Amino acid sequence: MTAPTQPGPLVARTPGELRAALTGAEGVGLVPTMGSLHSGHRSLMRLARERADTVVVSVFVNPLQFGPDEDFEHYPRDLGADTRVCAEEGVDVVFAPETATMYPAPQMVTVDAGTMGERLEGAFRPGHFTGVLTVVAKLFHLVRPAFAVFGEKDAQQIALVRRMVADLDLPVEVVGAPLSRDPDGLASSSRNAYLSEEERASALALSRALAAGREAAPGGAEAVRAASRKVLEKAAAATPPVRLDYLALVDPATFEEASADHSGDAVLAVAARVGVTRLIDNTAVPL
């Protein structure tokens, strides 16, 4: 199966429609998304298109990964706009199930994210990664891809998906796509649409803090942390302020804090709130 010649991708709303759309397909690449597709998603699709005979994009706002006080009900949804983006990027199939289709009964069996899923994002969003891994496992089973593409903006997420694939012997290659940034440097995210002009200006402190930390890498782990904190402390006094959830320099395989004498690859990760919007960002820091 090659890139579609019809005006747009096939849209499957049920597992049966998905199976029919993929009959005879080989070399399937999957891009899991929650919709509200932006330039970052486009980069994932393009990477999949380069490697796959058939590209499937899933569009599903997964309730299992939202906490009770998070934005599940208000998360942006526009399947028509998302399908047009997929058409422009040569996607073959869009899988867009309803919640009742993915979870016809309360989900009793889930994929436990373990201790790694309780750190950083997992500490601030209890149960989040169990919800992520559960829906990813379901999508892997339904689509049966040869590989799946995930954005490296969600560094902890992709690390956990890789660990799930390894621990459960799932026959899927996990491909990381480089983090995509908007022209002003803000990490591309569907939640950026929530930011006012003033909030967006404050939010740029996240990428500046990461850049400062990366530049301080020759001084070691503590120098990286100190350089980043200095930028974020100033941002906390800005109007509107940047309210920090965490800043962490971690081992990319375990997401445990890097020791002061850590040598090798590390990830500098940050999460903060500007107004009502919660943003995450990260960068690789070789030490």
Side-chain angles (χ1 to χ4, degrees):
M1 189 172 180
T2 58
T5 57
Q6 69 265 31
L10 295 172
V11 178
R13 304 304 300 267
T14 67
E17 292 176 358
L18 179 65
R19 285 193 296 273
L22 294 178
T23 299
E26 298 180 357
V28 176
L30 170 65
V31 181
T33 83
M34 291 205 301
S36 190
L37 303 179
H38 51 67
S39 60
H41 295 113
R42 287 180 183 270
S43 69
L44 308 187
M45 296 177 211
R46 289 169 188 168
L47 180 55
R49 183 74 276 164
E50 290 172 2
R51 298 179 48 140
D53 296 321
T54 304
V55 175
V56 178
V57 171
S58 63
V59 175
F60 178 63
V61 183
N62 176 35
L64 291 192
Q65 67 193 70
F66 286 78
D69 298 322
E70 295 183 333
D71 58 346
F72 174 71
E73 294 297 336
H74 300 289
Y75 195 87
R77 297 164 171 85
D78 189 339
L79 182 58
D82 291 339
T83 302
R84 288 191 291 274
V85 170
C86 290
E88 291 167 2
E89 299 302 334
V91 170
D92 299 288
V93 179
V94 172
F95 180 47
E98 298 289 345
T99 300
T101 300
M102 289 295 282
Y103 304 114
Q107 191 79 12
M108 294 181 64
V109 177
T110 57
V111 180
D112 188 347
T115 55
M116 185 170 154
E118 296 170 356
R119 300 174 184 134
L120 300 190
E121 282 299 287
F124 281 87
R125 305 178 68 186
H128 169 71
F129 286 121
T130 292
V132 169
L133 295 184
T134 298
V135 77
V136 169
K138 288 170 74 75
L139 289 169
F140 285 177
H141 176 71
L142 290 166
V143 178
R144 307 289 176 93
F147 69 89
V149 182
F150 294 85
E152 291 177 352
K153 181 175 79 74
D154 297 298
Q156 190 174 6
Q157 172 180 282
I158 194 172
L160 278 161
V161 171
R162 285 185 169 127
R163 187 59 186 261
M164 176 181 73
V165 165
D167 286 354
L168 300 183
D169 297 311
L170 302 179
V172 181
E173 178 188 0
V174 178
V175 178
L179 188 152
S180 175
R181 295 190 180 278
D182 293 346
D184 60 4
L186 193 66
S188 298
S189 171
S190 300
R191 290 187 169 95
N192 291 351
Y194 299 159
L195 296 168
S196 68
E197 184 176 346
E198 294 78 11
E199 289 168 344
R200 187 176 182 105
S202 291
L204 294 176
L206 272 66
S207 56
R208 291 199 301 270
L210 296 180
R214 190 171 57 248
E215 291 171 5
E222 292 309 311
V224 170
R225 294 184 176 103
S228 295
R229 287 194 193 104
K230 184 177 180 180
V231 175
L232 292 169
E233 286 169 0
K234 183 177 180 180
T239 303
V242 174
R243 305 189 309 280
L244 185 66
D245 277 357
Y246 62 76
L247 172 72
L249 184 68
V250 299
D251 183 311
T254 65
F255 271 70
E256 293 181 336
E257 281 284 350
S259 63
D261 60 352
H262 182 88
S263 178
D265 293 335
V267 170
L268 182 61
V270 63
R273 299 173 191 272
V274 184
V276 299
T277 306
R278 187 173 186 274
L279 303 169
I280 64 172
D281 202 346
N282 74 86
T283 188
V285 179
L287 294 170

